[in-house]
């Protein structure tokens, strides 16, 4: 495990206090990605996670990163292991205790929320709900219970590049992180399905998105969540029309 949690907390302490008027295009961001034992939040668990704090003025050179490898005390789903490469044996030998690791992750996210720095994750509900499930499993306070800001009452401030891309880009086909970064000209810094490489790639998407679609860059922190919720509702309505036209069940999943 690359242990830079203390450096990340120090960087968050020195980060500026953002306001509801801060536009996304010039906002600090806290990127987040996880690798897990499976795909069911609350039942499966996080085995690897990365947080990347991005200063928009410095880009990659100013990134503060923290990475965790975690012993989930449960077996890996073989399909998940085939994707992310983690084995039960490796996690048992090298993994950090989840009560310590998950607590550190939640503390760092809460510190960013107090600065009005949004949490950025590609397909954010997956990572957010996985974290919530692990916090519940180990009887740890949720992020909203730790934050001193309005997050405690209004929920997390989140940026989801997948939701944004669906709203502004009319391209067809799948929208995996790999394909989306290719579309926006983002060059990955490592192999995908590695939490750090995926986190950096997702954070990197905001600059080209804001350039190609100025309305994205102009979104303020105060507008961000409702804009994304409405974008998701619009996408889901279109998806359900397509599903029903083919005799398939509609989707009733919500965003955040």
């Amino acid at each position: 495990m690359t242990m830079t949690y203390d450096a990340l907390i120090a960087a968050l302490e020195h980060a500026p206090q953002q306001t509801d008027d801060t536009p996304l295009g010039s906002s600090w961001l806290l990127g987040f990605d996880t690798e897990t034992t499976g795909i069911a939040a609350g039942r499966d668990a996080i085995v690897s996670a990365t947080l990347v704090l991005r200063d928009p003025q410095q880009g990659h050179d100013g990134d503060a990163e923290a990475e965790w490898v975690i012993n989930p005390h449960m077996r890996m789903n073989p399909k998940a292991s085939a994707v992310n490469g983690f084995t039960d044996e490796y996690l048992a030998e090298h993994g950090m205790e989840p009560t310590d690791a998950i607590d550190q992750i939640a503390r760092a996210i809460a510190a960013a929320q107090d600065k009005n720095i949004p949490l950025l994750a590609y397909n954010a509900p997956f990572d957010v709900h996985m974290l919530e499930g692990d916090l519940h499993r180990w009887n740890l306070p949720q992020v909203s219970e730790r934050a001193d800001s309005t997050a405690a009452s209004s929920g997390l401030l989140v940026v989801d590049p997948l939701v944004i891309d669906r709203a502004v880009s009319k391209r067809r086909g799948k929208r995996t992180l790999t394909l989306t970064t290719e579309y926006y000209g983002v060059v990955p810094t490592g192999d995908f399905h590695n939490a750090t490489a995926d986190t950096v790639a997702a954070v990197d998407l905001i600059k080209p998105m804001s350039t190609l679609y100025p309305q994205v860059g102009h979104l303020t922190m105060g507008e961000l969540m409702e804009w994304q919720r409405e974008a998701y509702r619009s996408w889901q309505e279109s998806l359900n029309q397509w599903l029903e036209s083919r005799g398939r069940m509609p989707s009733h999943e919500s965003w955040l």
Side-chain angles (χ1 to χ4, degrees), residues 5 17 24 51 53 63 114 121 124 129 135 137 147 164 175 178 181 185 198 204 213 215 223 226-228 238:
Y5 168 71
Q17 179 68 51
L24 179 58
L51 289 171
L53 181 65
D63 283 353
D114 284 339
H129 293 327
L135 287 167
R137 176 182 291 109
I164 295 173
R175 296 176 189 259
T178 302
T181 53
D198 285 0
D204 284 346
Y213 306 103
Q215 68 269 37
E223 299 167 334
E226 188 52 41
W227 188 94
Q228 290 177 107
S238 177

Side-chain angles (χ1 to χ4, degrees), residues 9-24:
I9 291 298
L12 282 164
E13 289 175 351
H14 288 92
Q17 179 68 51
Q18 301 194 145
T19 71
D20 283 349
D21 294 327
T22 301
L24 179 58

Side-chain angles (χ1 to χ4, degrees), residues 142-176:
Q142 294 293 326
V143 174
S144 60
E145 298 171 334
R146 304 164 185 261
D148 295 329
S149 67
T150 55
S153 60
S154 61
L156 291 178
L157 179 63
V158 174
V159 178
D160 190 337
L162 175 59
V163 169
I164 295 173
D165 179 57
R166 283 170 174 163
V168 297
S169 169
K170 304 306 179 185
R171 63 195 173 91
R172 296 181 179 275
K174 295 181 179 180
R175 296 176 189 259
T176 63

Side-chain angles (χ1 to χ4, degrees), residues 37-199:
T37 62
I39 61 172
R43 186 179 72 207
D44 288 304
I46 297 170
V47 299
S48 175
T50 300
L51 289 171
V52 175
L53 181 65
R54 171 67 57 84
D55 176 350
Q57 298 299 317
Q58 296 189 55
H60 283 256
D61 292 341
D63 283 353
E65 301 179 3
E67 180 182 346
W68 293 262
V69 172
I70 305 168
N71 181 356
H73 295 286
M74 65 172 65
R75 296 190 68 81
M76 287 288 301
N77 182 306
K79 292 182 179 179
S81 184
V83 172
N84 59 42
F86 287 106
T87 64
D88 297 327
E89 295 75 17
Y90 181 89
L91 294 170
E93 181 177 353
H94 300 284
M96 190 174 176
E97 283 302 304
T99 48
D100 296 328
I102 299 300
D103 185 62
Q104 287 183 356
I105 294 167
R107 286 176 181 272
I109 294 172
Q113 293 287 302
D114 284 339
K115 292 288 186 81
N116 220 27
I117 296 172
L119 184 70
L120 183 147
Y122 197 84
N123 189 23
F126 177 83
D127 299 292
V128 169
H129 293 327
M130 278 291 178
L131 177 60
E132 291 172 344
D134 273 3
L135 287 167
H136 178 75
R137 176 182 291 109
W138 301 108
N139 296 312
L140 297 168
Q142 294 293 326
V143 174
S144 60
E145 298 171 334
R146 304 164 185 261
D148 295 329
S149 67
T150 55
S153 60
S154 61
L156 291 178
L157 179 63
V158 174
V159 178
D160 190 337
L162 175 59
V163 169
I164 295 173
D165 179 57
R166 283 170 174 163
V168 297
S169 169
K170 304 306 179 185
R171 63 195 173 91
R172 296 181 179 275
K174 295 181 179 180
R175 296 176 189 259
T176 63
L177 177 59
T178 302
L179 293 173
T180 301
T181 53
E182 289 177 358
Y183 177 78
Y184 286 98
V186 170
V187 179
T189 57
D191 295 328
F192 285 111
H193 295 301
N194 167 281
T196 300
D198 285 0
T199 307

